[in-house]
Amino acid sequence: MTGPIGRLGAGSAPQPGHPVPSAAGVLHLGLGNFHRAHQAVYTAAALRAGGDDWGIVGVASRSRTVVDAMQAQDLRYTVAEISPSGTAITVPAVHTDVFVAAADPDRVVAGLADDRIRVVTLTVTEHGYSTAPSTGLLDLADPLIAADLRGGAPRTTIGQLARGLQRRASGNGAPVTILSCDNLSENGARTEALVRTFLGELPGSEGAEALAYLDSAVAFPSSMVDRIVPATTAQLRDLVSARLGVRDESPVSAEPFTMWAIEDRFAAARPAWEAGGAVFTDEVGAYEQMKVRLLNGTHSLIAYLGALRGAATISEAIAMPDVESAARSILHHEYEPSVRFPAGVDVDTYEAQLFERWANHALGHRTAQVGTDGSVKLRQRIPEPALRSLDSGSTPHLIALTVAAYLSCIAPMPGFDPGPHARAMVDPAREELARLADASTDGAQLAHRVIAGLHLFGQELAERPTFIARVGELIDTIARHGVDAAIQDSVAATARPTTTTGAHR
Ligand code: CS2
């Protein structure tokens, strides 16, 4: 590139191809890359289909990065759809305002109470729901939740929703829909339960009015979201700026594949997201199960095995034949039998697509990104299919390998070096797990402390000694003989006929 170039803005951006929204109808919590490459793109299509009052107010939780960049660019940014055959660029232009919740917490509450807002959407990640790993319920021991319950400007998503709905209720607020777009099963019902718990925990009858308002005027439909969206890199900024002829400091890249299945249970009006291909269905539960297990569960396995094998990206990892065979094995033997597929979805086609998506080497989706927050993500992905296998008399060797590889990355046994990609993974439980690893003499002890002691994967798996022992063995195999040996062992054990008698599962 030669010489300075201007900055992306309303005057310099390509025309969005839809009316620029005149007002906001959606408040979105979690202004990250996923929202900008998924929901925002569907909203752009909805605006094209009519209804220019469906703009989005985007709220970032703590980081100023995206907010500052978008504010300097008249709220514009680029979506680069990247496949091995090329890159397609669009500028959605659907936001009417953006701000940071931590800097302006009252504005979140005021936004939720504003009757013009008819839909509140969430992409706050699994970590953003303040649940206790052992129970999956609201973590009342979390100091941030405790502080939000005491009062003042709320800092947690659940506190913000509850306080906002309280204010809306006190002004006889109009009906509103809260739509979770995170990778949790039954994400709508769970969000509702968390908000209700919060309101129920308020002193005296402080939450009563809001609870009654929830009964009559608030809907929490579930939704399944799917699009692989990597973190933004300097390389992407350069590529996009070269294509646009102006500088975009905050572009987002995404794979071509995109899917959104939504339960059609809204309290009031909503954008015509079907114009962008969203599916309104009463089978959201089946879509969620299929996606969270087949895509996300296998994704975790690929990320941890890949990182331990030195792979920086998911495409490098899945190109390794033994990682691919582990992925095929977990899909066929452990995840697929645990899933009720939605009508009309062909399993073989869906799985073939998964391998194609993971192999998209142009995307640069990092193993460290997928491996981040494993302590909260795996809780959504592995317990139910693992329990199902155990109950049917077989050991889920590849799910056990997922856990063993995860712990080897985040909490390596003393003397084992998991390598730079594992070290780059961020995890809220990292310190606690590392302490447990340091105090353990072998994998069996570590697995026991994490699964049975901490209940990191819930109460039920905590009581399955066969599973815990298998995780322990595989941690030792990884530390002593390398991850390749652990993959071979797990894949071979899966292929052998089952010998479990059913005792001590
Ligand atoms: C990934 C997901 O980071 C992860 O844990 O499994 O972000 C995945 O890329 C998306 O859910 C795809 O829809």
Side-chain angles (χ1 to χ4, degrees):
M1 233 176 292
T2 52
I5 58 171
R7 184 89 183 246
L8 177 67
S12 63
Q15 286 312 303
H18 58 76
V20 174
S22 59
V26 177
L27 179 77
H28 178 75
L29 305 184
L31 183 67
N33 278 7
F34 184 76
H35 158 75
R36 296 190 304 142
H38 188 268
Q39 181 198 338
V41 174
Y42 287 85
T43 304
L47 291 171
R48 276 197 296 279
D52 70 351
D53 57 349
W54 283 114
I56 301 174
V57 175
V59 186
S61 163
R62 260 171 295 275
S63 165
R64 292 216 61 86
T65 316
V66 169
V67 165
D68 286 347
M70 283 180 65
Q71 278 172 346
Q73 298 175 177
D74 298 328
L75 307 176
R76 303 288 203 270
Y77 66 91
T78 313
V79 176
E81 192 177 292
I82 298 189
S83 73
S85 59
T87 300
I89 284 201
T90 51
V91 176
V94 295
H95 294 90
T96 56
D97 202 356
V98 294
F99 68 95
V100 177
D104 227 343
D106 281 331
R107 243 178 109 187
V108 186
V109 175
L112 279 153
D114 182 341
D115 276 351
R116 288 167 297 186
I117 297 295
R118 286 149 288 161
V119 180
V120 177
T121 48
L122 312 174
T123 54
V124 294
T125 81
E126 295 87 335
H127 187 35
Y129 287 78
S130 308
T131 53
S134 55
T135 59
L137 305 175
L138 189 66
D139 189 358
L140 296 171
D142 176 347
L144 291 175
I145 287 289
D148 284 358
L149 281 167
R150 281 196 300 274
R155 284 178 293 169
T156 63
T157 300
I158 298 303
Q160 287 160 351
L161 288 174
R163 294 298 187 184
L165 291 170
Q166 246 189 319
R167 190 176 303 174
R168 196 166 173 121
S170 71
N172 290 320
V176 64
T177 302
I178 314 288
L179 182 64
S180 165
C181 304
D182 283 297
N183 291 321
L184 313 170
S185 51
E186 295 174 10
N187 54 12
R190 268 163 186 266
T191 308
E192 174 167 8
L194 293 166
V195 171
R196 283 185 180 272
T197 304
F198 185 101
L199 291 169
E201 286 293 324
L202 291 172
S205 57
E206 211 193 298
E209 186 184 30
L211 283 166
Y213 170 66
L214 252 67
D215 290 340
S216 63
V218 188
F220 290 82
S222 282
S223 82
M224 185 279 309
V225 293
D226 193 3
R227 191 170 206 188
I228 294 176
V229 180
T232 300
T233 59
Q235 198 192 2
L236 177 72
R237 282 189 201 96
D238 290 345
L239 176 133
V240 162
S241 303
R243 287 279 294 267
L244 282 177
V246 285
R247 188 89 193 143
D248 180 355
E249 286 304 332
S250 194
V252 45
S253 62
E255 62 171 340
F257 182 96
T258 181
M259 198 173 185
W260 196 5
I262 308 170
E263 190 183 359
D264 201 356
R265 201 166 55 77
F266 283 66
R270 60 162 176 83
W273 285 316
E274 60 272 36
V279 178
F280 286 86
T281 167
D282 54 12
E283 281 199 286
V284 170
Y287 277 100
E288 281 177 329
Q289 231 182 41
M290 171 179 80
K291 195 267 174 166
V292 169
R293 297 183 192 172
L294 271 55
L295 188 155
N296 295 119
T298 311
H299 223 184
S300 296
L301 177 68
I302 300 168
Y304 297 123
L305 295 181
L308 293 172
R309 294 276 317 263
T313 62
I314 295 293
S315 62
E316 274 172 48
I318 200 69
M320 296 170 170
D322 59 347
V323 175
E324 183 191 332
S325 79
R328 291 201 185 274
S329 188
I330 204 170
L331 275 170
H332 294 152
H333 296 287
E334 297 173 18
Y335 286 140
E336 223 182 77
S338 78
V339 166
R340 180 171 54 86
F341 286 89
V345 171
D346 178 69
V347 188
D348 295 336
T349 311
Y350 183 79
E351 287 187 7
Q353 241 172 1
L354 288 180
F355 282 92
E356 231 176 81
R357 296 170 64 192
W358 292 325
N360 182 349
H361 58 82
L363 204 55
H365 195 205
R366 299 186 75 76
T367 47
Q369 182 178 344
V370 178
T372 281
D373 281 351
S375 58
V376 271
K377 288 176 179 172
L378 291 178
R379 176 75 170 86
Q380 300 303 320
R381 303 176 183 188
I382 65 155
E384 286 78 11
L387 289 162
R388 190 218 134 267
S389 270
L390 291 163
D391 287 343
S392 70
S394 39
T395 304
H397 296 282
L398 278 307
I399 294 181
L401 180 63
T402 309
V403 175
Y406 160 66
L407 289 172
S408 302
C409 283
I410 299 294
M413 292 300 290
F416 176 70
D417 177 6
H421 308 303
R423 281 196 295 275
M425 292 170 185
V426 178
D427 197 305
R430 194 182 251 280
E431 267 179 38
E432 187 174 16
L433 296 178
R435 264 200 309 278
L436 294 181
D438 285 342
S440 300
T441 51
D442 60 10
Q445 266 191 9
L446 176 61
H448 185 79
R449 286 176 167 150
V450 172
I451 305 171
L454 271 187
H455 293 189
L456 196 66
F457 307 113
Q459 179 70 49
E460 285 186 81
L461 265 189
E463 288 160 13
R464 300 301 180 116
T466 307
F467 181 75
I468 298 172
R470 187 62 177 135
V471 172
E473 269 170 27
L474 289 167
I475 292 174
D476 287 336
T477 307
I478 293 172
R480 293 176 193 153
H481 307 290
V483 67
D484 312 29
I487 298 175
Q488 261 176 31
D489 181 353
S490 315
V491 172
T494 306
R496 276 198 296 275
T498 306
T499 51
T500 319
T501 60
H504 307 300
R505 287 198 301 261

